[in-house]
């Protein structure tokens, strides 16, 4: 069983719609959760992190964490073609001095 | 200064060459990381340095040799690589290990 799972996609949404990206994790003791955006040929860029259950909003982005169900999601409101990228979920597990990355979800925003 | 820099941007080397990748950050971060990323795959952790000491080596072949000369600098020495080692090599840093990691732009390595 993979420690951090994401649907590889592609997830295709029309411009202006809400894109919903999901991530599940297996380590119940996981403490911190990160979302990275990676454009093709570029390096990952940190866009959100969340530590507590509930929602955290930053501009058009909202991260949602549900520790009981062991999932974290990223909502992108008013999606733009420039949001088309791969979104990586990363989790800080107990006892490991590195983040564990999911395999990423490719998002395509259609103009 | 809020960025991680990596040099060179691109590197082409033969299987008998020795080369080095360099990574630098001036954010006062005490953890630094090397990742390897193949096309359409997530970053794959290679090494973690915490407070200038190697804390994780993910069973990386000895043809990759990391070095952390000081808290701002991280090197990856390459020797006798194979064509399958061709990839994007990413450096990252965080305040502590583990934590929010900030990635450099990467070095695109091609082994002929």
């Amino acid at each position: 069983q993979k420690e951090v799972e994401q649907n590889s996609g592609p997830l295709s949404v029309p411009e202006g719609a809400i894109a919903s990206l999901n991530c599940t994790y297996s380590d119940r003791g996981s403490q911190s959760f990160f979302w990275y955006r990676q454009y093709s040929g570029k390096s990952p860029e940190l866009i959100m992190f969340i530590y507590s259950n509930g929602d955290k909003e930053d501009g058009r982005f909202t991260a949602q964490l549900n520790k009981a169900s062991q999932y974290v999601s990223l909502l992108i409101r008013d999606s733009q073609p420039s949001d088309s990228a791969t979104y990586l979920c990363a989790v800080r597990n107990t006892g490991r001095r590195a983040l564990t990355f999911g395999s990423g979800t490719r998002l395509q925003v259609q103009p | 200064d809020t960025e991680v820099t990596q040099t060179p941007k691109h590197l082409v080397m033969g299987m008998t060459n020795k080369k080095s990748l360099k990574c630098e950050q001036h954010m006062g971060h005490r953890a630094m990381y090397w990742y390897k990323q193949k096309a359409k795959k997530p970053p794959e952790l290679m090494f973690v340095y915490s407070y200038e000491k190697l804390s994780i080596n993910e069973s990386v072949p000895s043809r990759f040799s990391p070095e952390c000369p000081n808290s701002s600098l991280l090197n990856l020495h390459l020797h006798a690589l194979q064509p399958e080692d061709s990839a994007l090599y990413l450096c990252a840093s965080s305040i502590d290990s583990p934590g929010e990691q900030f990635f450099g732009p990467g070095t695109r390595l091609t082994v002929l």
Side-chain angles (χ1 to χ4, degrees):
Chain A
Q1 182 191 4
K2 288 185 184 174
E3 295 181 47
V4 180
E5 294 216 37
Q6 295 182 256
N7 188 318
S8 60
L11 172 66
S12 186
V13 300
E15 184 174 355
I18 296 176
S20 178
L21 303 157
N22 299 313
C23 171
T24 58
Y25 59 94
S26 59
D27 181 357
R28 196 167 275 283
S30 298
Q31 300 161 330
S32 315
F33 307 86
F34 306 85
W35 283 101
Y36 287 83
R37 177 177 63 200
Q38 186 171 25
Y39 293 112
S40 181
K42 301 294 186 183
S43 62
E45 174 193 8
L46 180 65
I47 53 172
M48 290 284 291
F49 59 87
I50 187 166
Y51 302 135
S52 307
N53 271 332
D55 294 1
K56 179 181 177 184
E57 191 174 314
D58 184 1
R60 294 187 297 114
F61 298 99
T62 299
Q64 299 176 319
L65 175 60
N66 184 323
K67 287 189 177 180
S69 301
Q70 294 177 240
Y71 81 78
V72 56
S73 60
L74 180 70
L75 302 179
I76 306 175
R77 287 183 300 283
D78 187 25
S79 295
Q80 301 297 309
S82 57
D83 294 325
S84 298
T86 296
Y87 289 80
L88 297 161
C89 172
V91 174
R92 174 180 173 171
N93 301 124
T94 49
R96 179 169 158 80
R97 299 186 71 81
L99 302 181
T100 301
F101 282 85
S103 55
T105 297
R106 190 157 64 93
L107 172 66
Q108 293 178 337
V109 180
Q110 307 293 339
Chain B
D1 192 345
T2 57
E3 64 174 11
V4 179
T5 60
Q6 288 187 246
T7 54
K9 285 189 171 57
H10 301 275
L11 178 63
V12 179
M13 60 186 290
M15 289 191 284
T16 58
N17 292 156
K18 284 185 183 182
K19 297 285 184 185
S20 297
L21 309 185
K22 181 178 170 182
C23 173
E24 201 161 1
Q25 58 87 14
H26 295 288
M27 296 181 278
H29 288 177
R30 302 316 298 264
M32 296 185 78
Y33 310 78
W34 280 116
Y35 288 87
K36 172 183 175 180
Q37 188 175 29
K38 299 282 244 181
K40 299 191 189 303
K41 297 288 187 185
E44 181 186 331
L45 183 67
M46 300 175 73
F47 302 104
V48 180
Y49 273 84
S50 180
Y51 291 85
E52 299 162 49
K53 287 187 169 44
L54 183 65
S55 61
I56 295 181
N57 175 343
E58 292 283 56
S59 303
V60 178
S62 59
R63 57 185 185 268
F64 295 92
S65 175
E67 179 196 19
C68 188
N70 59 57
S71 60
S72 301
L73 195 54
L74 186 65
N75 298 321
L76 186 63
H77 303 298
L78 314 172
H79 173 54
L81 295 193
Q82 304 297 309
E84 59 264 29
D85 296 321
S86 298
L88 180 66
Y89 286 83
L90 294 162
C91 173
S93 70
S94 60
I95 291 175
D96 201 347
S97 164
E100 303 155 45
Q101 292 178 20
F102 297 89
F103 285 85
T107 293
R108 176 74 60 189
L109 173 68
T110 303
V111 182
L112 300 176

